[in-house]
Amino acid sequence: MNVPIDDSALDQIFREARTYNGYTDQPVSEQQLHAIWDLMKMGPTSANQLPARLIWCVSDEAKERLATQCADGNDDKVRSAPVSVIIGMDENFHEQLPDLFPHADAKSWFEGDLEKRKESAMRNSSLQGAYFIIAARALGLDTGPMSGFDADGVDSAFFGDTPHVTANFISTLGYGDRDSLFDRSPRPAFERFNSIA
Ligand SMILES: Cc1cc2nc3c(=O)[nH]c(=O)nc-3n(C[C@H](O)[C@H](O)[C@H](O)COP(=O)(O)O)c2cc1C
């Protein structure tokens, strides 16, 4: 039987973890990007759809290409981070389901229904984006998720050859610089946003 993970792990992943606006110079290796993927891919998605398509911008050229599509303030964060990641989503994820979900003919559930696929791609790639954040934290890294960017601009700059893939959100990745943090915003107690029925 599983037991709760220890308090220091909970601090690292949740209580002490923050959204970073800047990073130290400590580099992030390609191996670490693979390690993040190897954890995040294990998180659940509907029918194992795995619709997220990630582009890890590590070169100055790719970071600049992304930064030019970002809102003021977000652009410099993208430029200066060790890695900036685009969490894209594939509205044709169903093409992969014969392989990814062999228990059933799940591809047929989505064929001919683009709206349903878009809704599912958004839901499940957002979950995968959350798994990305948690996996990075579990490996000792920090992230800075952002939605302040020109979605059409990012799509044409990065997904021009695959128009069925579009950007969901972006994130910086690295070892966070605590000097870049804003004060922590409130996190309400259970009673405010929860009920037990
Ligand atoms: C999907 C998403 C989009 C966000 N977009 C932006 C953004 O465009 N610019 C920005 O500076 N912060 C952005 N944030 C950062 C949030 O404001 C931050 O994660 C939140 O206030 C919690 O901060 P904390 O983790 O330090 O407590 C975004 C976060 C998420 C999850």
Side-chain angles (χ1 to χ4, degrees):
M1 196 177 77
N2 288 338
V3 295
I5 58 174
D6 65 43
D7 254 356
S8 70
L10 293 173
D11 284 346
Q12 181 170 322
I13 295 172
F14 291 106
R15 298 187 196 110
E16 303 293 332
R18 295 296 311 277
T19 298
Y20 279 85
N21 299 301
Y23 297 86
T24 69
D25 290 338
Q26 192 173 339
V28 176
S29 69
E30 206 166 299
Q31 246 179 347
Q32 287 174 291
L33 309 186
H34 284 258
I36 293 172
W37 172 254
D38 283 337
L39 289 178
M40 65 177 278
K41 72 183 181 186
M42 303 311 295
T45 52
S46 327
N48 201 31
Q49 287 166 13
L50 293 164
R53 304 288 178 264
L54 278 67
I55 298 184
W56 308 81
C57 299
V58 299
S59 67
D60 288 343
E61 179 279 318
K63 284 187 250 181
E64 184 59 32
R65 191 154 32 115
L66 180 57
T68 56
Q69 305 302 330
C70 288
D72 283 352
N74 289 346
D75 50 0
D76 283 339
K77 296 179 199 177
V78 163
R79 276 188 194 100
S80 60
V83 184
S84 290
V85 188
I86 305 165
I87 292 98
M89 50 190 172
D90 186 353
E91 67 189 29
N92 287 347
F93 64 82
H94 66 307
E95 303 287 354
Q96 315 280 337
L97 292 183
D99 165 44
L100 293 178
F101 197 67
H103 327 283
D105 181 15
K107 181 180 175 190
S108 68
W109 306 340
F110 294 95
E111 249 158 358
D113 195 341
L114 180 60
E115 278 318 299
K116 185 174 168 185
R117 295 206 302 274
K118 283 186 170 182
E119 183 183 318
S120 202
M122 172 59 84
R123 176 180 300 119
N124 288 290
S125 68
S126 298
L127 281 169
Q128 287 186 270
Y131 305 146
F132 154 79
I133 293 169
I134 301 300
R137 290 173 173 181
L139 293 171
L141 289 148
D142 298 297
T143 63
M146 289 179 278
S147 53
F149 59 87
D150 176 345
D152 290 340
V154 172
D155 292 346
S156 60
F158 287 91
F159 299 122
D161 294 340
T162 53
H164 47 94
V165 182
T166 51
N168 182 338
F169 70 96
I170 64 173
S171 181
T172 50
L173 173 73
Y175 291 93
D177 173 3
R178 294 203 74 82
D179 288 343
S180 75
L181 290 174
F182 303 126
D183 289 342
R184 183 72 118 169
S185 300
R187 298 304 208 274
F190 187 88
E191 290 68 28
R192 182 154 161 200
F193 295 133
N194 298 263
S195 57
I196 296 177

